């Protein structure tokens, strides 16, 4: 059975930089509060009319160049997003028409902040079963268009950003790559982090549900579960491979909040610098956050070929998961 290696990575964020000071135009907030509570200094917002598939194009081009492949060689797209352009069809199909891919399957998945880990797991299975040689896993989000810029929106509004990340997962006979993935969900917390409308529950699609069209987040509850679950699932990935924490070159957590990553590091008795953190520049980019971090870490020297990595995520659903990877 072949192994499923991360052959290339790429990322892209839209050019419009939004600082904490910029957000003070809308919210009763301060630079100090945002930095202290989340670690975020700035994020990028897409221009109106730009969707996740548009942002994904540059990330995918970078990942394909890194892997030495052309779009025509890709066998499948797995596209994770919670902010698709359309109710249907999915962003994967929109990406498929933007580059010279063949008529390959374009599978959209959601899974929110855990989307990229779920996507890696899907890619791993197709590649290891021998069905496809090169699977493109994309995480891309345009969340700025659903942010509530009224005063009530400040807790959620300061956290999220737009961006895209991509990884090419390719077959190899070397014993490297995605060695195991560990995926979970617990739907009893579905309403703790949600945008509920448009909905298929009632005719008309909006104006029916109590939490409505704006993002709703129970920040404290999300924080508490994120620390517990990301710690558990990082341990599980290491145990599955017989790795000690000291064997792992870098942990790449979903960039939800710097304090969440610090608490997970503490729970695992690890120095904070074992964790790759770039939330200060991008905010929480949901499904894009891990592939952006991985691509950036691979370029700034934080991650080298042959390194043992643990990637882990937690998000709306609740969903969570991890991947043990030899890069
Ligand atoms: N600026 C200033 N004050 C703010 C604020 C803002 N942007 N947002 C909230 N506050 C206020 C609250 O109103 C509250 O005031 P009060 O004590 O007078 O009621 C106070 O700050 C504390 O609010 P709280 O929500 O308890 O803050 P917190 O320490 O939990 O931090 C988050 C808020 C959102 C940063 C934090 O809960 C968090 O990161 N949660 C996880 C979020 C996450 O990861 N989401 C994505 C999951 S993948």
């Amino acid at each position: 059975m072949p192994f499923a290696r991360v052959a290339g990575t790429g990322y892209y964020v839209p050019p419009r930089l939004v600082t904490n000071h910029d957000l003070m135009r809308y919210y009763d907030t301060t630079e100090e509060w945002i930095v202290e509570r989340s670690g975020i200094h700035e994020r990028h917002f897409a221009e109106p009319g730009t969707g996740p598939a548009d942002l994904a194009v540059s990330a995918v081009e970078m990942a394909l160049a890194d892997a030495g492949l052309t779009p025509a060689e890709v066998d499948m797209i797995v596209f994770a997003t919670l902010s698709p352009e359309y109710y249907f069809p999915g962003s994967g199909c929109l990406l498929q028409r933007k580059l010279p891919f063949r008529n390959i399957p374009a599978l959209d998945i959601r899974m929110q902040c855990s989307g990229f880990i779920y996507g890696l797991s899907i890619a791993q299975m197709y590649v290891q079963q021998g069905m496809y040689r090169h699977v493109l896993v994309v995480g891309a989000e345009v969340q700025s268009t659903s942010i509530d810029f009224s005063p009530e929106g400040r807790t959620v509004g300061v956290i999220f950003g737009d961006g895209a990340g991509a990884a090419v997962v390719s077959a190899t006979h070397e014993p490297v790559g995605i060695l195991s993935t560990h995926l979970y969900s617990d739907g009893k917390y579905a309403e703790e982090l949600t945008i509920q409308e448009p909905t298929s529950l009632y005719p008309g699609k909006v104006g029916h549900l109590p939490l409505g069209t704006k993002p709703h987040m129970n920040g404290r509850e999300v924080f508490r579960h994120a620390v517990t679950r990301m710690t558990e699932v990082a341990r599980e990935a290491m145990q599955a491979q017989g790795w000690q924490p000291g064997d792992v070159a870098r942990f790449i957590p979903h960039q939800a909040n710097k304090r969440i990553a610090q608490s997970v590091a503490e729970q695992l008795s690890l120095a904070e610098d074992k964790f790759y953190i770039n939330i200060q520049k991008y905010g929480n980019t949901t499904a894009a956050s891990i592939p952006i971090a991985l691509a950036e870490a691979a370029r700034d020297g934080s991650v080298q070929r042959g390194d043992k990595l643990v990637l882990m995520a937690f998000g709306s659903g609740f969903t969570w998961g991890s991947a043990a990877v030899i890069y």
Side-chain angles (χ1 to χ4, degrees), residues 37-286:
R37 305 313 294 166
S38 71
I40 300 166
H41 290 259
E42 57 197 32
R43 73 289 288 144
H44 293 250
F45 283 179
E47 293 303 326
T50 307
D54 296 309
L55 299 187
V57 168
S58 299
V60 166
E61 285 174 335
M62 190 192 280
L64 288 174
D66 192 27
L69 294 173
T70 64
E73 291 171 279
V74 173
D75 298 311
M76 181 189 198
I77 297 167
V78 180
F79 199 119
T81 186
L82 63 59
S83 52
E85 291 84 347
Y86 300 144
Y87 200 65
F88 68 84
S91 305
C93 292
L94 303 189
L95 175 64
Q96 189 277 336
R97 72 182 181 188
K98 286 180 191 294
L99 287 169
F101 295 113
R102 289 172 287 124
N103 293 128
I104 52 174
L107 173 66
D108 264 56
I109 57 168
R110 313 227 302 189
M111 316 321 296
Q112 304 67 251
C113 299
S114 310
F116 184 73
I117 301 286
Y118 272 74
L120 280 186
S121 184
I122 293 166
Q124 179 200 10
M125 292 304 139
Y126 275 107
V127 167
Q128 288 192 338
Q129 292 307 313
M131 186 156 168
Y132 296 129
R133 284 191 61 212
H134 304 293
V135 178
L136 189 57
V137 184
V138 179
E141 304 284 1
V142 174
Q143 306 183 101
S144 54
T145 45
S146 17
I147 285 173
D148 173 11
F149 286 105
S150 76
E152 297 76 53
R154 68 176 179 174
T155 313
V156 181
V158 299
I159 288 182
F160 291 96
D162 300 339
V168 181
V169 176
S170 296
T172 177
H173 287 289
E174 287 170 50
V176 296
I178 306 160
L179 303 181
S180 61
T181 55
H182 311 271
L183 309 178
Y184 296 94
S185 70
D186 187 347
K188 76 172 165 285
Y189 299 103
E191 286 76 22
E192 302 295 352
L193 180 50
T194 181
I195 297 181
Q196 296 192 331
E197 292 176 329
T199 175
S200 60
L201 290 173
Y202 303 100
K205 301 220 183 312
V206 290
H208 302 280
L209 294 177
L211 298 172
T213 55
K214 293 176 177 172
H216 167 82
M217 177 173 76
N218 180 346
R220 285 188 189 176
E221 190 74 352
V222 173
F223 193 104
R224 196 168 63 79
H225 284 266
V227 173
T228 307
R229 295 310 195 181
M230 288 220 279
T231 304
E232 272 174 20
V233 87
R235 283 208 176 100
E236 189 182 337
M238 289 187 280
Q239 276 161 8
Q241 301 309 321
W243 296 346
Q244 298 303 316
D247 299 331
V248 178
R250 200 67 68 176
F251 293 79
I252 303 189
H254 164 52
Q255 312 284 314
N257 181 321
K258 192 174 181 190
R259 289 188 302 131
I260 293 177
Q262 287 167 330
S263 302
V264 174
E266 209 172 288
Q267 299 281 318
L268 294 170
S269 308
L270 286 168
E272 210 183 300
D273 63 8
K274 277 267 187 175
F275 279 55
Y276 190 80
I277 305 290
N278 63 3
I279 193 171
Q280 65 279 4
K281 295 193 282 184
Y282 306 120
N284 180 343
T285 57
T286 301

